[in-house]
Amino acid sequence: DDEKPPTRFEIVRAEIGNSEDPYEKVAWLVFKHCTSTAWFEAFVMANILLIGIATGVDLETDGGQGDRSVAQFIQLSGDLTTGVFTVEVALKLVAEARKPWRYFTDQDAGPFNCFDFFIVATGYALMGSQSGGAVGVLRLLRLLRLLTFVKGVKTLRGIIGGLIVGMKSVTYIMMLLFLVIYLFSIMACLFFGSNNPAQFGTVPMSMLTLFRVSTTCSWTSVAYICWYGCESYL
């Protein structure tokens, strides 16, 4: 039988589990008793759900205007989760011992870690700004944080991974679709341009119209205009 590949825990234990280096000892303890444990992941997931709920309440109540308790809940939730996510990033960087770049390059968790680090760093960069744009970006970042919920559920991670792999094929399908629409848009300009210049007068407009027809959005009006002409139908 094929041997199973070593787990992340086994790899880290082999690298620094028996190290005499003080920093690596600390890194091993952090990894063993904190970042690799189920309770740590559950705690982070709970905070992700909390900030998702708080952001929804924030948008629904326009920042808790008119209700002090709601405003306090939104503020405390934001401060608490920002602290938790900061500590999460710091502990995971420490757990990498003297190779902190692996936090960003890990094959399995690297993309999620990069996303987490970006959200935390951007949140601190915009912290204290009262402009409408900054507030909107902070709300968007909090909502995007919900996407990292999938990293704690293996089934969801498998689905996301499958979608990412499938996107490679979808890219070629989109290229083929663009080529087909482009060719038929040129033909449509030649055949229908004089009869329906509003929708087939130029190649870009013709491509837009054909895309609209491909989605079956009011395609009958396009057909009637091409059949009867703009002057007769409109």
Side-chain angles (χ1 to χ4, degrees), residues 72-148:
Q72 289 178 340
F73 167 73
I74 295 170
Q75 182 64 38
L76 290 175
S77 299
D79 295 341
L80 173 63
T81 53
T82 297
V84 170
F85 298 147
T86 303
V87 172
E88 177 199 9
V89 171
L91 289 176
K92 288 186 175 181
L93 285 171
V94 171
E96 296 296 343
R98 299 193 180 278
K99 298 178 181 179
W101 58 86
R102 293 193 304 191
Y103 172 81
F104 303 98
T105 60
D106 183 75
Q107 184 177 3
D108 188 31
F112 292 104
N113 292 339
C114 291
F115 188 63
D116 290 343
F117 186 86
F118 168 76
I119 291 178
V120 171
T122 306
Y124 277 110
L126 297 176
M127 186 174 292
S129 177
Q130 300 299 324
S131 65
V135 173
V137 172
L138 283 174
R139 287 173 174 172
L140 179 61
L141 289 176
R142 290 172 179 175
L143 288 175
L144 290 176
R145 187 80 199 196
L146 286 171
L147 295 177
T148 60

Side-chain angles (χ1 to χ4, degrees), residues 11-57:
I11 293 174
V12 176
R13 181 175 58 185
E15 290 181 353
I16 63 175
N18 298 316
S19 175
E20 296 299 327
D21 183 277
Y23 186 79
E24 290 186 345
K25 283 185 177 181
V26 173
W28 168 243
L29 291 176
V30 170
F31 179 81
K32 180 181 179 181
H33 299 291
C34 189
T35 59
S36 65
T37 59
W39 69 263
F40 181 80
E41 288 296 328
F43 180 68
V44 173
M45 293 299 105
N47 278 271
I48 292 175
L49 291 178
L50 174 62
I51 195 59
I53 294 172
T55 303
V57 174

